Amino acid sequence: MSNLEVAPDEMVCGSAQSHAGVELLVPRNVPLGGPRAMDVRRTLPQKQRSLVGAWCFLDHFGPDPVGETGGMAVPRHPHTGLQTVSWLFTGEVEHRDSAGFHAMVRPGELNLMTAGRGISHSEFSTPETSVLHGAQLWVALPDSARHVSPTFAHHRPEPLTGTGFAVSVFLGSLTVLQDHGADLHSSSPVATHTELLGAEIRLEPHTSIRVAVKAKHEHGVLLDSGTLHVGVDELPVDHLAYLPTGTQEITLTSGDQPVLALLIGGEPLGEQILMWWNFVGRTHDEVVEYRRQWQAEIGEEPGDTGSKRFGDFPSDTPAPLPAPVLPSVRLRPRD
């Protein structure tokens, strides 16, 4: 997923101090592209909170009528210092990257791309897709792993099911606690560089489940559709409920409508990161150099292309996205 904002803000992100209770994060609408753009609802990052564990970016989209908006059409663009997570509810997206991976993103299947020191990729909804609906997220890599070689992983989790619920754990591990019968547990085999949790949760009306989570992690619940209480707090559609560290059990209760939600979490990153456009770095100069290298590699600006940080791409694909213009001041923390 690319951040297609023409003038993206810089974000210096760090783990905020936890506090008791549920904190609501309100989404903002961001158009992806031109006049027929597909709108997304972005809940991370924002001024109120920029990280949930190492999760640093969350775009939630659809159900989007592809015939009216053109769907997802994101030409080749770069990433550094992060992993992208694609999770679809409906539709299909074709992924291609400069590390040589070519995959179809389908509902219920995890596609995780590790950018590491640098990668470029493209994402296009397929001609067969009439409705596109899902979420795309970024995970910030810790300093110890942010220069690793780029790679790609795919996993289709087997859902945990019971009366009125289905839980698909695509990253990390999760236990559904049951009052009667044995607890249900699932772990993803996909390796991550920090402790993470990612799961899709579906509830029939008037269903309540309890999930055991790690107390040292912080968590977020994104409500896609339906009526849902997180503990005693009602969660509006498209909002993200943040739960601080110290939480050992989360109770999710549906109302009169079926629920579709995502649960994310992880150990607080404990590092300050600088995000601008599609780059995650640590300093202004580092991000400026990433941009310079990308612009030189795609022929937008003069410069040395010897390192080929962002790799090669098939020549018959659409033209790559040039980087936005940098702000006139140094990238720095917001007040």
Side-chain angles (χ1 to χ4, degrees):
M1 169 66 80
S2 176
N3 180 2
L4 297 182
E5 292 177 286
V6 176
D9 291 327
E10 72 272 23
M11 295 288 288
V12 173
C13 307
S15 301
Q17 185 172 352
S18 300
H19 55 83
V22 172
E23 177 183 325
L24 284 182
L25 303 184
V26 180
R28 64 185 180 96
N29 288 331
V30 178
L32 292 187
R36 296 175 71 232
M38 181 182 77
D39 282 342
V40 301
R41 282 89 67 194
R42 183 165 297 165
T43 49
L44 288 175
Q46 56 180 272
K47 290 181 179 180
Q48 183 178 348
R49 183 167 299 279
S50 51
L51 291 166
V52 177
W55 299 96
C56 62
F57 185 93
L58 198 170
D59 272 358
H60 172 216
F61 53 88
D64 180 68
V66 171
E68 298 176 12
T69 67
M72 185 176 293
V74 186
R76 180 189 177 198
H77 56 280
H79 288 294
T80 60
L82 57 82
Q83 294 175 299
T84 64
V85 173
S86 300
W87 187 262
L88 289 182
F89 305 132
T90 308
E92 186 179 60
V93 172
E94 182 179 15
H95 163 97
R96 188 186 300 272
D97 66 47
S98 59
F101 295 96
H102 182 202
M104 306 308 293
V105 183
R106 298 185 175 96
E109 299 180 4
L110 168 72
N111 288 272
L112 182 144
M113 183 186 75
T114 300
R117 63 173 180 263
I119 199 171
S120 57
H121 75 136
S122 63
E123 297 157 294
F124 288 88
S125 47
T126 60
E128 296 77 18
T129 296
S130 58
V131 175
L132 194 62
H133 184 197
Q136 292 203 325
L137 309 95
W138 296 354
V139 176
L141 290 172
D143 191 61
S144 60
R146 66 191 186 97
H147 298 299
V148 299
S149 298
T151 189
F152 187 85
H154 173 268
H155 173 55
R156 182 178 182 87
E158 185 67 29
L160 301 173
T161 58
T163 303
F165 71 84
V167 177
S168 298
V169 180
F170 52 85
L171 283 177
S173 61
L174 184 71
T175 299
V176 178
L177 303 173
Q178 301 209 101
D179 295 328
H180 305 287
D183 297 338
L184 304 176
H185 183 79
S186 178
S187 292
S188 169
V190 178
T192 57
H193 294 276
T194 55
E195 291 188 22
L196 294 173
L197 170 64
E200 176 192 281
I201 296 176
R202 294 179 181 265
L203 303 178
E204 293 301 318
H206 307 294
T207 300
S208 184
I209 64 170
R210 297 180 297 122
V211 295
V213 294
K214 295 182 179 180
K216 66 178 181 178
H217 289 187
E218 50 191 357
H219 296 88
V221 180
L222 175 74
L223 178 59
D224 173 83
S225 57
T227 51
L228 179 67
H229 278 79
V230 180
V232 298
D233 297 286
E234 184 173 359
L235 179 59
V237 170
D238 296 334
H239 288 55
L240 184 73
Y242 169 80
L243 295 94
T245 57
T247 302
Q248 295 180 295
E249 184 179 307
I250 301 173
T251 301
L252 302 171
T253 305
S254 60
D256 295 334
Q257 302 172 3
V259 162
L260 175 56
L262 288 179
L263 171 61
I264 61 172
E267 190 172 13
L269 184 62
E271 300 178 18
Q272 192 177 69
I273 63 172
L274 176 58
M275 293 175 57
W276 180 82
W277 194 43
N278 294 310
F279 305 129
V280 171
R282 295 299 187 272
T283 67
H284 167 89
D285 292 338
E286 195 173 54
V287 171
V288 169
E289 178 60 14
Y290 293 154
R291 181 191 182 278
R292 186 202 66 77
Q293 289 179 307
W294 172 248
Q295 293 292 87
E297 286 185 31
I298 64 174
E300 285 289 323
E301 296 176 10
D304 176 29
T305 61
S307 67
K308 280 285 186 179
R309 175 184 291 273
F310 300 103
D312 295 313
F313 226 65
S315 58
D316 59 347
T317 55
L321 291 176
V325 176
L326 282 160
S328 57
V329 296
R330 289 181 67 84
L331 302 177
R332 56 184 174 81
R334 295 182 181 208
D335 292 334

